[in-house]
């Protein structure tokens, strides 16, 4: 064989590599589980599968025979397929030629159909040419006939209009004029024709003449000077109003203006500035006069003017404008005579009249109405600022009344609000000053009532409840806010807010902070003997039960004030104009109440903490090196538990409505007591082994009491908050680890130091030295121990200091394991 034949044979005998796409397609068409069909077939692995052991090689001849038989079958299959594909190319060429012939025949048929369609279209055009001409002729003829009819109607209508105008037949003119105007609109594009333009000018002249004639008729019927025309309105004027509706709107406005001016001329004379009835104390007479006039108008002239003119409403609106200007002028002149009661009386009567107008009229004739944003529907609450905004003389209602009130539908907005009462706004400073004075007197009364009644008693059902003066203050605030918002939503509301802020701060300092019990620095130098004799512990407590109840009551009141002040701020922002909302900010007052709450909690913590100080002092003064055996808990532990059981139930019961602040009290007490206990623990030196074991027992007892602190003395057992439990466990576990280190032998020194670092995770040399002093080591031994301690410390980070290095805190699992070991040790010693 030559070189080319050899290359072909080598290619055939080589491994055939297919692309992944082809391989995936083959697997989909011919799925197979045979390893020989896999694309990643490995001959070595396949042979190892057939012959896994040497003993299996005995069957090698059978395996080879099977493979050869399979190869023979595959060759036969390939040969059959190849022979079957011999004539495929020839058949394909023949099919292609037949398809080309069919396409040519189809193309010829399509061309014939296209030629026939063009001929048909040309034939249709020739047939319909005459029909289109007839359609155009019909359309033009119809338009011409319609235009001629309109022209005839316009010419006849103009003649009739001129004749009826001279005869003052306004009833017929009203209908005819509208038709003429409508027909004339069809001739706008024909204004270039002289005859059409002449007819249009005649229509305009007739409209002008009608307007002047109607105005003259109204001037004659209702002269500006003199009495009204007797006999009431005539049908001629009623029809004239219908004509005015069709004419230029200026004619209608002129008629309305003259009639209203003539109708209110008597009012201008009766209530001149120099008349006694013009002052605020007789403001009712103004509104009574307009009511009579409106009734008189309805009876005499109600049918003369069309309903869409809203003449009754227009008369009332014009009366309001005149009254507002007159009141503004007279109040500027006599500003010194305005008193609060007189001002509120005038405002009340005016707002009532505005409300009456809103019920009677829709306000369609008003321009530039101010639409006030609606108040959201608030939830039911005892907070006065979450109730209905409508002010009631009795702010405290029963449950049924509150329920009924909450179900009342919201009243629609009053479009006439402020149309007259706006004139009182510049003089509302009198009202603001009055409220400033009233609130000052109210705060003074609260102070006097508190001093006369004294703090709440411990046996009272209201102990720890919100002070009544707090609710009275906010109810009065609500009354002022609603009343002022009815008068104005502008600058007076900002001034009232400033007054509210002033007396909220005064209430916080005078009523709340000013009545918090004062702490006294009485000496409590108890000895061990006095501590052992102490049973009740009442000599140590600084605050009495009544004082504790008072602190809790002030705390609850401050919380109520804080929440209600926030609601007050929201309500004020809803009442005031949108442009002024940013100027209302009661954050400072809310911070003040938060300070009162914090001070109250601190007083409760300080009281209980101070009650425990003598017991801790007694603990540090005991001779722990002389303790010979471990017994029950020490007397100082009993004293601490006694104080806790005395104070905590009282505080918890009085703070039942404010659980979160009771939790804060527990957390702050734990954060204060535990570090102080550890500090006194370091003062217990020297300590023997038995003494350390006794301290361990005492520490465990205190830890148990602290964990049960939130529910101590309560019949309802509640799980303590996780945040509080974490603080107690962390702090008291440190105290237990300190005592465990003290109990450990200090020899060998390296083991002692490593044990200290492991248990306390504290690399502070001062703490380590305190531990050595508790063990009672000599100065020389302490010095060597400190040197060894510094050597055994882990390397601090760059720039660090060995004296302040702290190891990572032990995990909760490690702490739990150490606590279990400690409990076993205590039980064993007991």
């Amino acid at each position: 064989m030559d070189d080319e034949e050899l290359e072909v044979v080598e290619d055939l005998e080589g491994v055939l590599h297919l692309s992944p796409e082809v391989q995936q397609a083959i697997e989909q068409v011919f799925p197979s589980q045979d390893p020989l069909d896999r694309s990643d077939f490995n001959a070595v692995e396949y042979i190892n599968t057939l012959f896994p052991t040497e003993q299996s090689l005995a069957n090698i001849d059978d395996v080879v025979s099977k493979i050869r038989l399979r190869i023979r079958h595959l060759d036969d299959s390939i040969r059959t397929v190849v022979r079957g594909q011999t004539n495929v190319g020839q058949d394909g060429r023949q099919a292609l030629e037949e398809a080309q012939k069919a396409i040519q025949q189809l193309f010829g048929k399509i061309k014939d159909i296209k030629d026939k369609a063009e001929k048909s279209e040309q034939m249709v055009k020739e047939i319909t040419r005459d029909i289109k001409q007839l359609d155009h002729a019909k359309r033009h003829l119809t338009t011409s006939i319609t235009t001629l009819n309109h022209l005839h109607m316009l010419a006849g209508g103009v003649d009739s209009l001129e004749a009826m105008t001279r005869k003052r037949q306004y009833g017929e003119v009203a209908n005819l004029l509208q038709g003429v105007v409508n027909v004339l609109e069809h001739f706008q594009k024909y204004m270039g024709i002289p005859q059409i333009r002449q007819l249009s000018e005649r229509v305009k002249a007739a409209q002008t003449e009608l307007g002047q004639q109607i105005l003259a008729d109204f001037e004659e019927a209702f002269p500006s000077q003199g009495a009204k025309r007797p006999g009431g309105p005539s049908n001629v004027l009623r029809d004239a109003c219908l004509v005015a509706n069709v004419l230029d709107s200026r004619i209608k406005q002129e008629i309305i203006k003259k009639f209203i001016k003539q109708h209110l001329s008597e009012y201008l004379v009766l209530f001149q500035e120099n008349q006694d009835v013009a002052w605020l104390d007789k403001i009712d007479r103004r509104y009574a006069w307009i009511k009579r006039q409106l009734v008189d108008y309805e009876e005499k002239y109600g049918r003369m003017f069309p309903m869409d003119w809203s003449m009754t409403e227009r008369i009332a609106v014009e009366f309001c404008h005149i009254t507002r200007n007159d009141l503004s002028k007279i109040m500027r002149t006599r500003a010194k005579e305005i008193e609060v009661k007189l001002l509120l009386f005038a405002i009340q009567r005016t707002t009532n009249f505005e409300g009456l107008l809103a019920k009677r009229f829709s306000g369609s004739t008003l321009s530039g109405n101010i639409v006030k944003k609606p108040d959201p529907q608030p939830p039911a609450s005892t907070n006065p600022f979450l109730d209905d905004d409508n002010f009631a003389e009795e702010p405290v209602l029963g449950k049924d009344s509150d329920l009924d009130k909450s179900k009342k539908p919201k009243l629609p907005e009053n479009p006439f609000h402020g149309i007259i009462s706006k004139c009182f706004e510049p003089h509302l400073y009198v009202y603001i000053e009055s409220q400033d004075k009233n609130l000052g007197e109210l705060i003074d009364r609260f102070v006097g009532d508190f001093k006369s009644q004294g703090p709440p008693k411990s046996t009272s059902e209201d102990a720890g409840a919100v002070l009544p003066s707090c609710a009275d203050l906010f109810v009065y605030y609500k009354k002022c806010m609603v009343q002022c918002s009815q008068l104005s939503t502008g600058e007076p509301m900002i001034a009232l807010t400033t007054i509210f802020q002033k007396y909220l701060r005064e209430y916080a300092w005078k009523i709340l902070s000013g009545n918090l019990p004062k702490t006294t620095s009485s000496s409590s130098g108890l000895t061990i003997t006095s501590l052992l004799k102490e049973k009740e512990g009442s000599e140590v407590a600084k605050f009495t039960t009544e004082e504790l109840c008072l602190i809790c009551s002030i705390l609850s009141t401050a919380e109520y004030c804080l929440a209600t002040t926030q609601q007050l701020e929201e309500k004020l922002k809803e009442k005031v104009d949108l442009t002024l909302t940013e100027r209302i900010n009661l954050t400072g007052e809310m911070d003040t109440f938060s300070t009162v709450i914090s001070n109250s909690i601190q007083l409760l913590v300080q009281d209980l903490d101070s009650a425990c100080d003598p017991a801790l002092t007694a603990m540090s003064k005991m001779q722990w090196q002389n303790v010979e055996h471990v017994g029950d808990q020490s007397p100082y532990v009993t004293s601490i538990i006694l104080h806790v059981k005395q104070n905590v139930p009282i505080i918890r019961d009085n703070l039942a409505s404010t659980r979160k602040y009771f939790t804060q009290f527990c957390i702050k007490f734990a954060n204060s007591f535990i570090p102080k206990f550890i500090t006194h623990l370091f003062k217990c030196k020297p300590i023997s082994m038995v003494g350390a074991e006794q301290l361990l027992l005492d520490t465990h007892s205190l830890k148990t009491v602290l964990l049960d602190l939130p529910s101590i003395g309560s019949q309802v057992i509640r799980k303590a908050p996780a945040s509080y439990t974490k603080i107690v466990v962390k702090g008291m576990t440190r105290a237990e680890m300190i005592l465990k280190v003290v109990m450990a032998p200090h020899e060998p020194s390296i083991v002692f130091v490593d044990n200290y670092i492991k248990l306390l995770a504290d690399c502070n040399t001062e703490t380590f030295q305190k531990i050595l002093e508790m063990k009672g080591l000599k100065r020389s031994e302490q010095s060597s121990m400190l040197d060894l301690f510094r050597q055994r410390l882990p390397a601090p980070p760059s720039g660090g200091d060995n004296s302040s290095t702290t190891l990572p805190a032990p995990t909760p699992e490690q702490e739990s394991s150490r606590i279990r070991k400690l409990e076993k040790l205590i039980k064993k010693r007991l």
Side-chain angles (χ1 to χ4, degrees):
M1 291 186 296
D2 55 8
D3 295 340
E4 293 181 357
E5 292 178 349
L6 290 174
E7 291 179 359
V8 172
V9 172
E10 290 177 356
D11 293 339
L12 293 175
E13 293 178 351
V15 179
L16 180 61
H17 295 283
L18 300 177
S19 63
E21 293 80 5
V22 176
Q23 187 66 35
Q24 185 177 3
I26 293 174
E27 291 177 355
Q28 292 178 353
V29 177
F30 303 104
S32 175
Q33 300 296 331
D34 194 341
L36 294 174
D37 294 334
R38 295 178 58 85
S39 60
D40 55 349
F41 174 75
N42 191 322
V44 176
E45 292 181 358
Y46 183 69
I47 293 172
N48 290 334
T49 305
L50 295 177
F51 306 104
T53 61
E54 293 182 1
Q55 289 78 8
S56 61
L57 292 176
N59 301 325
I60 189 171
D61 294 334
D62 296 338
V63 174
V64 171
S65 299
K66 292 179 180 179
I67 293 177
R68 287 177 178 174
L69 181 61
R70 186 173 181 181
I71 292 173
R72 191 179 300 115
H73 290 164
L74 288 174
D75 290 340
D76 293 340
S77 299
I78 293 172
R79 191 179 299 110
T80 302
V81 172
V82 171
R83 289 175 180 175
Q85 296 294 325
T86 302
N87 298 326
V88 171
Q90 184 177 356
D91 295 340
R93 285 191 296 272
Q94 184 177 357
L96 179 61
E97 291 175 358
E98 293 177 355
Q100 290 175 349
K101 291 179 181 179
I103 291 172
Q104 290 177 357
Q105 293 176 1
L106 180 62
F107 180 76
K109 292 180 179 180
I110 293 173
K111 186 175 181 182
D112 293 341
I113 292 172
K114 183 178 179 181
D115 294 340
K116 292 179 180 179
E118 291 177 354
K119 292 179 181 180
S120 300
E121 184 179 1
Q122 185 65 27
M123 187 181 299
V124 169
K125 287 182 179 179
E126 292 176 357
I127 294 173
T128 59
R129 182 180 303 150
D130 296 335
I131 298 175
K132 288 184 179 180
Q133 291 178 354
L134 291 175
D135 287 341
H136 290 307
K138 179 181 178 181
R139 187 181 307 111
H140 295 325
L141 181 61
T142 302
T143 305
S144 301
I145 294 174
T146 303
T147 304
L148 288 174
N149 288 334
H150 287 166
L151 182 60
H152 181 267
M153 293 169 57
L154 179 62
V158 171
D159 293 339
S160 301
L161 182 64
E162 293 174 345
M164 293 177 183
T165 301
R166 289 191 293 271
K167 297 178 182 180
R168 283 183 165 78
Q169 297 177 352
Y170 295 133
E172 292 79 0
V173 169
N175 296 325
L176 180 61
L177 179 60
Q178 184 63 50
V180 170
V181 172
N182 293 336
V183 172
L184 188 61
E185 292 178 356
H186 294 282
F187 290 95
Q188 291 297 325
K189 54 185 176 182
Y190 303 116
M191 286 301 171
I193 302 174
Q195 291 80 0
I196 303 298
R197 187 168 58 252
Q198 183 180 2
L199 287 174
S200 176
E201 292 174 354
R202 289 176 61 188
V203 171
K204 292 181 181 179
Q207 289 177 325
T208 303
E209 183 181 354
L210 276 172
Q212 295 174 353
Q213 188 170 300
I214 290 173
L215 290 176
D217 291 344
F218 269 94
E219 182 66 28
E220 181 182 354
F222 305 103
S224 301
Q225 302 293 334
K228 297 178 182 178
R229 178 178 176 180
S234 63
N235 293 332
V236 175
L237 295 180
R238 181 182 61 189
D239 295 338
C241 292
L242 298 178
V243 177
N245 265 339
V246 185
L247 296 174
D248 190 356
S249 59
R250 289 178 295 181
I251 303 298
K252 171 184 172 181
Q253 296 299 329
E254 186 68 22
I255 294 173
I256 293 174
K257 182 178 178 182
K258 287 186 176 181
F259 180 80
I260 293 177
K261 182 179 179 181
Q262 190 275 339
H263 210 68
L264 296 178
S265 58
E266 180 184 350
Y267 175 73
L268 296 175
V269 176
L270 292 177
F271 293 91
Q272 288 183 357
E273 185 177 354
N274 56 0
Q275 300 294 327
D276 293 338
V277 294
W279 187 228
L280 300 179
D281 58 344
K282 296 181 178 60
I283 198 170
D284 280 341
R285 298 190 181 183
R286 293 176 180 266
Y287 306 135
W289 183 89
I290 189 61
K291 291 176 185 177
R292 292 193 301 271
Q293 291 299 313
L294 293 178
V295 171
D296 180 69
Y297 166 81
E298 291 287 351
E299 294 176 352
K300 293 182 179 180
Y301 309 104
R303 298 182 179 181
M304 186 176 73
F305 295 99
M307 292 295 295
D308 59 342
W309 284 26
S310 302
M311 286 300 295
T312 309
E313 181 177 332
R314 291 180 184 275
I315 293 173
V317 170
E318 183 62 24
F319 165 81
C320 293
H321 292 324
I322 295 173
T323 303
R324 184 179 62 192
N325 294 333
D326 289 351
L327 290 176
S328 298
K329 187 184 299 183
I330 194 172
M331 282 193 292
R332 283 195 302 269
T333 306
R334 305 170 63 176
K336 295 182 179 180
E337 302 179 26
I338 300 177
E339 298 178 352
V340 177
K341 292 183 179 180
L342 180 61
L343 181 64
L344 292 180
F345 167 79
I347 293 174
Q348 185 65 35
R349 294 295 186 270
T350 302
T351 53
N352 290 342
F353 177 72
E354 292 173 348
L356 181 64
L357 293 179
K359 294 178 181 178
R360 175 64 177 81
F361 306 116
S362 63
S364 58
T365 61
L366 297 174
S367 58
N369 287 340
I370 300 175
V371 180
K372 300 176 71 174
K373 54 184 179 181
D375 297 330
Q377 186 68 26
S381 172
T382 57
N383 190 326
F385 300 102
L386 294 178
D387 294 337
D388 192 358
D389 289 338
N390 297 327
F391 171 71
E393 293 295 335
E394 297 293 336
V396 181
L397 299 176
K399 295 182 179 179
D400 296 338
S401 300
D402 290 336
L403 183 62
D404 294 339
K405 186 169 68 172
S406 64
K407 292 182 179 179
K408 289 181 180 179
K410 188 172 180 63
L411 297 177
E413 295 295 333
N414 181 1
F416 294 92
H417 176 69
I419 190 170
I420 300 177
S421 58
K422 198 74 173 176
C423 66
F424 298 110
E425 185 169 330
H427 305 278
L428 285 179
Y429 67 90
V430 178
Y431 173 77
I432 300 300
E433 292 174 355
S434 173
Q435 297 305 324
D436 188 4
K437 180 181 178 182
N438 293 340
L439 283 170
E441 295 174 353
L442 187 64
I443 294 295
D444 293 338
R445 180 168 64 83
F446 289 160
V447 174
D449 292 346
F450 194 93
K451 290 180 179 179
S452 61
Q453 297 175 3
K457 305 299 180 183
S458 59
T459 57
S460 174
E461 295 180 357
D462 295 333
V466 176
L467 297 178
S469 60
C470 174
D472 295 342
L473 176 66
F474 282 104
V475 167
Y476 189 82
Y477 272 9
K478 177 191 174 183
K479 173 184 174 181
C480 296
M481 179 185 66
V482 174
Q483 198 172 39
C484 187
S485 65
Q486 294 175 351
L487 308 180
S488 172
T489 57
E491 288 295 335
M493 284 292 290
I494 301 299
L496 185 65
T497 302
T498 305
I499 300 299
F500 286 174
Q501 291 175 301
K502 172 184 175 182
Y503 289 103
L504 282 174
R505 291 191 297 268
E506 287 199 10
Y507 185 85
W509 296 124
K510 290 184 178 180
I511 308 298
L512 300 182
S513 292
N515 289 303
L516 283 173
K518 302 298 186 294
T519 57
T520 56
S521 57
S522 59
S523 60
S524 56
L526 266 69
T527 62
I528 300 300
T529 305
S530 63
L531 181 61
L532 294 175
K533 293 181 180 179
E534 180 186 352
K535 294 183 179 179
E536 300 297 330
S538 58
E539 299 177 1
V540 180
K542 292 186 178 181
F543 291 147
T544 63
T545 304
E546 289 76 12
E547 290 175 331
L548 290 177
C549 293
L550 173 61
I551 295 174
C552 294
S553 180
I554 290 176
L555 191 153
S556 300
T557 303
E559 186 207 16
Y560 176 85
C561 292
L562 176 62
T564 312
T565 301
Q566 184 178 2
Q567 297 296 333
L568 173 62
E569 180 181 10
E570 295 174 0
K571 284 294 179 182
L572 286 170
K573 289 183 178 180
E574 292 174 4
K575 297 293 184 183
V576 80
D577 293 338
L578 289 175
T579 56
L580 301 176
T581 52
E582 295 182 356
R583 295 175 59 183
I584 295 180
N585 187 359
L586 303 183
T587 305
E589 289 64 38
M590 288 186 277
D591 292 342
T592 301
F593 289 117
S594 298
T595 303
V596 174
I597 293 173
S598 179
N599 292 341
S600 301
I601 296 175
Q602 189 60 37
L603 275 179
L604 296 173
V605 172
Q606 183 179 349
D607 176 63
L608 183 56
D609 201 23
S610 300
C612 298
D613 282 346
L616 295 177
T617 303
M619 177 191 76
S620 62
K621 291 182 179 181
M622 287 182 65
Q623 300 298 323
W624 293 102
Q625 74 275 17
N626 297 331
V627 177
E628 298 178 355
H629 63 275
V630 178
D632 293 335
Q633 63 187 20
S634 302
Y636 74 89
V637 177
T638 305
S639 176
I640 292 174
I641 295 175
L642 183 61
H643 289 304
V644 170
K645 289 184 176 180
Q646 280 183 338
N647 284 25
V648 173
I650 297 174
I651 296 172
R652 182 184 58 246
D653 294 342
N654 283 276
L655 294 181
S657 60
T658 56
R659 294 290 302 177
K660 63 178 180 179
Y661 292 117
F662 176 69
T663 302
Q664 288 186 20
F665 160 75
C666 294
I667 292 174
K668 286 188 177 182
F669 174 71
N671 283 327
S672 174
F673 175 78
I674 294 176
K676 185 180 293 186
F677 173 74
I678 294 176
T679 301
H680 282 77
L681 198 61
F682 283 130
K683 296 179 181 179
C684 299
K685 53 186 178 180
I687 303 176
S688 63
M689 178 66 68
V690 179
E693 292 177 1
Q694 180 63 49
L695 280 173
L696 270 174
L697 177 63
D698 296 341
T699 303
H700 184 72
S701 300
L702 288 175
K703 179 180 178 181
T704 304
V705 172
L706 289 176
L707 288 174
D708 295 338
L709 184 69
S711 59
I712 193 169
S714 175
Q715 296 179 355
V716 180
I717 304 301
R718 294 184 179 179
K719 186 178 180 181
S723 57
Y724 171 76
T725 303
K726 182 178 179 181
I727 292 172
V728 173
V729 170
K730 182 178 179 181
M732 296 306 290
T733 301
R734 175 175 172 80
E736 292 172 343
M737 293 301 106
I738 290 173
L739 292 173
K740 190 172 182 180
V741 171
V742 173
M743 292 171 58
H746 62 277
E747 294 294 343
S749 303
I750 295 178
V751 176
F752 176 77
V753 171
D754 291 343
N755 192 31
Y756 168 84
I757 296 175
K758 179 181 178 182
L759 291 177
L760 285 183
D762 187 356
C763 296
N764 194 313
T765 55
E766 295 180 359
T767 304
F768 184 69
Q769 186 172 3
K770 291 178 181 178
I771 297 290
L772 298 179
E773 292 175 354
M774 292 174 69
K775 292 181 67 65
L777 297 182
K778 298 179 181 180
R779 289 291 183 182
S780 57
E781 294 177 341
Q782 292 183 19
S783 177
S784 61
M785 281 283 191
L786 287 172
D787 294 338
L788 179 61
F789 174 73
R790 294 188 182 96
Q791 295 174 5
R792 301 293 295 178
L793 286 177
S798 58
D801 185 7
N802 289 350
S803 62
S804 60
T805 304
T806 301
L807 294 178
T811 63
E813 292 78 6
Q814 294 174 343
E815 291 184 355
S816 177
S817 177
R818 294 171 186 173
I819 293 171
R820 287 196 296 268
K821 291 179 181 179
L822 180 63
E823 291 176 350
K824 290 180 181 179
L825 178 62
I826 294 173
K827 292 179 181 179
K828 183 178 179 181
R829 297 296 298 177
L830 290 175

